[in-house]
Amino acid sequence: MSKIAFILLCHKDPEAVIKQAQRLTAKDDYMSIHFDARAPRAAYDRIRSALADNAHVTFAKRRIKCGWGAWSLVEATLLATEAAVAAFPKATHFYMLSGDCMAIKSAEYTHEFLDENDADFIESFDFFESDWIKTGIQAERLIYRHYFNERENKRLFYAAMNLQKRLGLEREIPSDLQIMIGSQWWCLRRRTIEWILAFTRERRDVMRFFRTTWIPDETFFQTLVRHLVPEEEIRNRTLTFLMFSDYGMPVNFYNDHYDLLMSQDYLFARKISPEAQELKRRLGVLYSSDGAEFQISNEGRSLYTFLTGRGREGRRFAPRFWENEGSLGRDREMLIVVCKKWHVAKRLVWRIQQLTNVPAVEYLFNEDNCALPDLGGIQASMDKRHRHRRALMRMLFDYYDTDRLLICLDPANIDLLQDFYGDRSVTRLLEVQCHFTDAYLVGHAKRVGLAGDHTKPDALRRLLPTIRNDVLFESETIRDAGFANHSQIREWETAEQNARALADFLQVPPETALDVAHTDHLFAD
C-alpha cells in the first residue's frame, strides 16, 4: 500500500501548519516541513515543539529565505525532500503541498488512487512550443542569468537583463535537456525522487543553470522528471485543484464550496481560505473517514483549465508599459463604467451619449470586435491594447479631441483600474451592481465555456457557488481598493437614488442624471 511523504512549504500561521501535519500523518503517512526563514523564529519553534513527539514529521535541515520566482523556492523544496527521503524509508510517494492546501478526498481514496496509478503526476509542457506562459518574458527566463528578484528590485532585475542583451551574453541551455514548464504542485514516486536527488549531485552544470533562471519552480522538477522518467510513466497533470480569478489571483475556497471540491477529479485543493473554518472542519473529517464515495463530475478539468488560462493572462513578468510611459494628462478626466453584465453597461453608455457630449468606447479591453478608430495598429489586438494601455488612451483622447472620455471595463480588470488611478489624470469610477440569478449564471457559464448544453443539472448546481463567489469577489476587491471618486448604482435602488450617483459620476445637473437613471429596461437581461 502507498505511503505518502508530504513536502510542505509554508511561511505563516503555525497553528494551521500544526493541524495540517497532525491531520495528514494520522493515517500513517509522513510530512517534511520547510518553514520560511523570513517568518519569525518563535513561530517556527512553536511548530517544532508541537510536533516534537510525532515520529511521522521531520523538518528540512536548514531554513532559507524564500522569494517568489527565485531559486530559493526550489532549494527549499529540495531540502525538505532530502529530509523526507532520509527520515521515511517506507514512503512510496512524495506530494508537494503549501500551507493553503487541504485534502478533498479521504485518505482511503487517496491511497487507493495512488496504488492503482503507478505514475508520476506533474504538469510538464514544452517551454518553447506550448502557450503555458501567457505574457511577459519567455526565453529570457533561461538564456540570461538572473541575480535579482523582479518583485523585490525591479530596476536591478531589468537593468541586469538588458545589460546582458546589449553585450550579447546569452548562455546555452544544457544540450541534453528539453526544458519543460508547468505547475509546481506535483506527486512523484520514490524512485523518481531518488533519481532527481542523484541528478542534482552529479550534474552541477544543470544546477548552476537553474540557480540563475527566473521562476525555476515552474521548470526545474518539470524538466528533470521528463529527462529521467519514461514518458508512459508520466501523467501530465497535477493532483491539486486550483483556480485563478480573471485578474490572476488564486481563487479562495469558502464554506459553501464543499460539494464542489468533493466532485473534482483531484486529491487536494488550494487555496482554502483562512476564514473557511467550517470547510476545513468538514474536509478534515472527510480525510479520516472510511467508505466515503465520490461522484466525480466532468466539469473540474474544464473549469480549472478555463479559469487558470484566464488568470494566467493577468500574470506579468515583463516590464510594465505604464511604468515608463507618460501620463494621460493632468487636465484630462477618464470616466470608467464597471459592470459584469456588459449589455447593461452598453445600454447605460448609449443613454449617456444621447444626453451628454462625452465620447465613449465600450469594452475595448475585453471585446476584440469593439469599434475603435484606426490608431496606427496599436488597437489591432487585445494584447497590444493591454500592453500599451496608456498610449492607447492618450490617442483616443486626441482622436476625439476631448478632455473627458468614457470607457467600460469588466470588474475582473482590477489591474487596469489600479493603473489608471495611478495616473495624474482625474479618474471617476461608476460601478453598476446587478442581480445575478442562477439562470443568468448558468448562461454565463455556457457562454464562457465552463459548461455545455449537455452538462448535467447537478454539475451546474455544484458549479454555481464558485461562479457566484468569483463575481462577488471581484466587486469586493474593487471596493477594498479604496478608489477615489467611486460611485455606485444598483439594480435594486430607485431611479432617484441612482440619479444622485450618476450626477456625481458624470458631473451633470440632477435632471440630466435622472433622465439617465430612467433609461428604459436598463437592467433587463
Side-chain angles (χ1 to χ4, degrees), residues 238-259:
T238 174
L239 293 177
T240 299
F241 179 63
L242 66 162
M243 297 191 299
F244 288 91
S245 70
D246 295 345
Y247 40 88
M249 297 298 291
V251 170
N252 285 281
F253 295 109
Y254 295 93
N255 292 333
D256 57 351
H257 290 137
Y258 178 78
D259 290 334

Side-chain angles (χ1 to χ4, degrees), residues 185-473:
W185 310 108
W186 41 253
C187 177
L188 303 176
R189 296 166 298 174
R190 185 181 191 93
R191 184 188 65 177
T192 302
I193 288 293
E194 290 173 344
W195 284 350
I196 290 173
L197 295 179
F199 187 91
T200 64
R201 293 188 292 268
E202 297 165 2
R203 292 293 301 273
R204 308 312 299 174
D205 61 320
V206 173
M207 298 297 284
R208 286 193 297 271
F209 172 79
F210 277 108
R211 281 181 183 276
T212 51
T213 60
W214 180 233
I215 321 181
D217 55 301
E218 294 180 351
T219 55
F220 180 80
F221 289 98
Q222 295 79 358
T223 298
L224 265 57
V225 170
R226 284 286 175 180
H227 182 71
L228 298 170
V229 179
E231 183 175 1
E232 61 271 16
E233 296 181 25
I234 301 173
R235 303 294 179 265
N236 192 6
R237 58 163 298 194
T238 174
L239 293 177
T240 299
F241 179 63
L242 66 162
M243 297 191 299
F244 288 91
S245 70
D246 295 345
Y247 40 88
M249 297 298 291
V251 170
N252 285 281
F253 295 109
Y254 295 93
N255 292 333
D256 57 351
H257 290 137
Y258 178 78
D259 290 334
L260 173 69
L261 292 176
M262 280 185 61
S263 67
Q264 303 310 317
D265 188 19
Y266 297 86
L267 303 180
F268 282 76
R270 74 181 302 269
K271 291 183 167 184
I272 306 299
S273 170
E275 289 79 29
Q277 295 301 320
E278 177 62 16
L279 176 61
K280 290 183 176 182
R281 185 194 67 78
R282 295 180 71 184
L283 291 177
V285 171
L286 175 67
Y287 188 72
S288 61
S289 66
D290 294 325
E293 295 184 0
F294 300 90
Q295 299 295 322
I296 305 300
S297 73
N298 293 325
E299 311 304 323
R301 187 175 297 239
S302 61
L303 180 64
Y304 169 79
T305 301
F306 174 76
L307 287 179
T308 298
R310 292 172 74 198
R312 284 178 184 151
E313 290 171 1
R315 297 169 73 177
R316 302 184 181 275
F317 307 115
R320 287 153 170 83
F321 178 85
W322 58 91
E323 291 170 352
N324 49 35
E325 287 280 354
S327 168
L328 299 181
R330 189 182 300 277
D331 297 326
R332 284 174 166 170
E333 187 175 33
M334 180 180 291
L335 307 176
I336 304 176
V337 174
V338 172
C339 183
K340 196 67 178 179
K341 291 185 176 181
W342 295 1
H343 59 280
V344 173
K346 290 178 181 180
R347 234 178 255 138
L348 178 67
V349 169
W350 175 80
R351 186 58 174 159
I352 289 173
Q353 287 185 287
Q354 282 189 319
L355 298 172
T356 73
N357 61 353
V358 179
V361 183
E362 294 171 354
Y363 287 88
L364 72 165
F365 293 106
N366 302 103
E367 288 186 308
D368 283 313
N369 60 354
C370 172
L372 287 169
D374 186 352
L375 301 173
I378 194 173
Q379 82 293 341
S381 70
M382 192 63 66
D383 181 61
K384 286 185 177 180
R385 296 179 202 173
H386 278 262
R387 188 165 65 247
H388 305 307
R389 56 188 70 175
R390 285 200 184 181
L392 174 63
M393 296 311 303
R394 284 200 306 274
M395 295 173 77
L396 285 171
F397 274 104
D398 292 340
Y399 178 85
Y400 289 110
D401 191 21
T402 182
D403 288 330
R404 300 188 84 208
L405 181 66
L406 187 152
I407 67 170
C408 298
L409 288 180
D410 188 276
N413 297 127
I414 187 70
D415 57 332
L416 293 174
L417 285 172
Q418 290 170 332
D419 179 40
F420 292 140
Y421 262 96
D423 190 78
R424 286 179 295 174
S425 61
V426 176
T427 303
R428 297 185 180 278
L429 173 64
L430 178 68
E431 184 183 359
V432 183
Q433 295 186 350
C434 305
H435 286 301
F436 294 98
T437 64
D438 286 353
Y440 176 84
L441 292 177
V442 168
H444 174 72
K446 292 180 178 179
R447 284 191 295 273
V448 300
L450 289 175
D453 292 334
H454 301 293
T455 301
K456 295 181 179 179
D458 285 347
L460 284 171
R461 179 178 54 79
R462 289 192 295 270
L463 187 59
L464 285 177
T466 296
I467 300 174
R468 188 179 296 280
N469 178 69
D470 209 29
V471 170
L472 295 175
F473 188 48

